[in-house]
Amino acid sequence: MDRYPKRFILERPPLTYAVAQIKFSGVGRLSTRIPDIQDEMRKVGFPRFTEGQVTTIQFGSPADTVISPRWEFLNRDRTTGVALLKDSVGFHVSRYIGFDEFCTHLRTALKIVQNSLGIELVERIGLRYVDVVWPEPREGFASLVNPVLLGLDDKAVGARESSCFVNYIAQTEVGTLCVRALRRSDGSFLPPDLQAQQTLIFAMPPISPGQSVLTLDLDHFQDLEKEPLEFSEDDILKRLWLLHDNLTLAFLSSVTASALAAWGMKERT
């Protein structure tokens, strides 16, 4: 990895979606504070507002399905949003222009939420990137992506078409790292869990069923439930930067030098 610059940019990045989520100790009667939060979000560039629900499954005996309210504040063109649940706040974008600016907007959102809710404890911090490699090059995805993420060679087993899901999980010095690779041809490009509740608009052109797409889903998080963190925007952002650095290494390990050249990698000045 020493041959790659620690700070670099891609002129034509495959990055399609990015999200940071901060899970906190639940806040009671949150719905009564939404109007104030909405007003402040509108002032900083999030005039759109949606209210919906999110469904989660809590595993137990028996498993239980929980439906919770979800409020979201979106910018005018629906490429950036702040999603608020009773125990978490998320910031996501479909037009990523750098982690510095990402953190600047996230800090603003955290301040607004904190000023209204007075959150005390943070129980989880996560950062997730979704890269979409499409269309498939003539040489195959192996020319752009580490072959260990692609599954078996279709020609070697006499397959006409296939799908493949690879899930790599590791413990880093910072937290838990997940690298998921999903190769499919159903016309979708986001991971299923993100597709189900997506509110943002993407610049991706329509993908027809039958066209192969390779999705790299990179996730790095800190589980702080046993030793929760006192809420602090500075502390949260410092930890996100550490998560980000490992995700950069994971990305570089997931793609080839040819891919980086094709995507226009250059050192940040």
Side-chain angles (χ1 to χ4, degrees):
M1 288 304 164
D2 290 343
R3 68 184 185 277
Y4 297 119
K6 292 184 179 180
R7 297 294 301 275
F8 67 92
I9 59 173
L10 296 177
E11 295 179 328
R12 297 171 294 279
L15 182 58
T16 302
Y17 179 78
V19 58
Q21 185 186 55
I22 293 85
K23 188 175 184 298
F24 50 79
S25 52
V27 176
R29 303 178 68 180
L30 190 153
S31 60
T32 63
R33 311 179 198 188
I34 294 300
D36 291 336
I37 296 175
Q38 181 186 1
D39 189 50
E40 292 302 314
M41 289 291 183
R42 178 182 55 79
K43 294 176 183 177
V44 296
F46 297 94
R48 292 180 178 267
F49 174 71
T50 64
E51 185 172 356
Q53 294 178 329
V54 60
T55 301
T56 57
I57 298 177
Q58 295 182 346
F59 293 98
S61 183
D64 190 20
T65 300
V66 178
I67 299 177
S68 305
R70 180 180 187 269
W71 301 272
E72 185 161 6
F73 316 92
L74 298 156
N75 66 348
R76 291 182 181 274
D77 55 6
R78 291 176 57 192
T79 57
T80 305
V82 179
L84 183 62
L85 280 69
K86 65 179 181 179
D87 61 355
S88 70
V89 57
F91 177 74
H92 61 160
V93 300
S94 62
R95 189 177 297 164
Y96 184 84
I97 55 176
F99 196 57
D100 290 295
E101 185 164 339
F102 183 92
C103 287
T104 296
H105 291 303
L106 173 59
R107 180 188 289 274
T108 299
L110 289 176
K111 284 183 177 180
I112 290 173
V113 172
Q114 174 64 352
N115 288 341
S116 182
L117 302 184
I119 301 167
E120 294 185 13
L121 301 177
V122 174
E123 298 178 345
R124 190 180 187 273
I125 300 173
L127 182 63
R128 187 174 177 182
Y129 288 120
V130 177
D131 296 281
V132 178
V133 182
W134 177 82
E136 182 177 6
R138 182 175 301 178
E139 303 82 3
F141 285 124
S143 64
L144 300 177
V145 178
N146 191 327
V148 301
L149 299 174
L150 299 176
L152 297 177
D153 182 352
D154 287 350
K155 293 181 180 179
V157 297
R160 289 181 297 178
E161 62 177 272
S162 66
S163 62
C164 180
F165 176 66
V166 176
N167 188 20
Y168 170 85
I169 302 175
Q171 299 301 316
T172 70
E173 293 183 1
V174 182
T176 301
L177 173 68
C178 303
V179 177
R180 294 176 283 262
L182 176 59
R183 179 172 53 81
R184 55 186 169 169
S185 55
D186 61 357
S188 302
F189 60 89
L190 287 177
D193 65 311
L194 295 176
Q195 185 72 47
Q197 60 185 33
Q198 196 52 240
T199 55
L200 300 185
I201 292 178
F202 292 82
M204 288 285 294
I207 300 174
S208 301
Q211 294 181 307
S212 292
V213 176
L214 194 284
T215 301
L216 289 176
D217 183 5
L218 311 179
D219 188 4
H220 199 195
F221 64 88
Q222 287 185 341
D223 189 344
L224 304 167
E225 190 169 0
K226 293 183 178 179
E227 297 182 13
L229 175 73
E230 291 291 330
F231 189 96
S232 162
E233 291 105 5
D234 287 340
D235 217 353
I236 289 171
L237 292 173
K238 286 178 182 178
R239 290 170 183 260
L240 281 172
W241 266 105
L242 295 175
L243 295 171
H244 168 272
D245 289 346
N246 274 97
L247 284 176
T248 299
L249 295 176
F251 173 76
L252 292 173
S253 295
S254 299
V255 302
T256 66
S258 296
L260 296 175
W263 296 330
M265 187 178 81
K266 65 180 182 179
E267 191 167 0
R268 187 186 298 273
T269 57

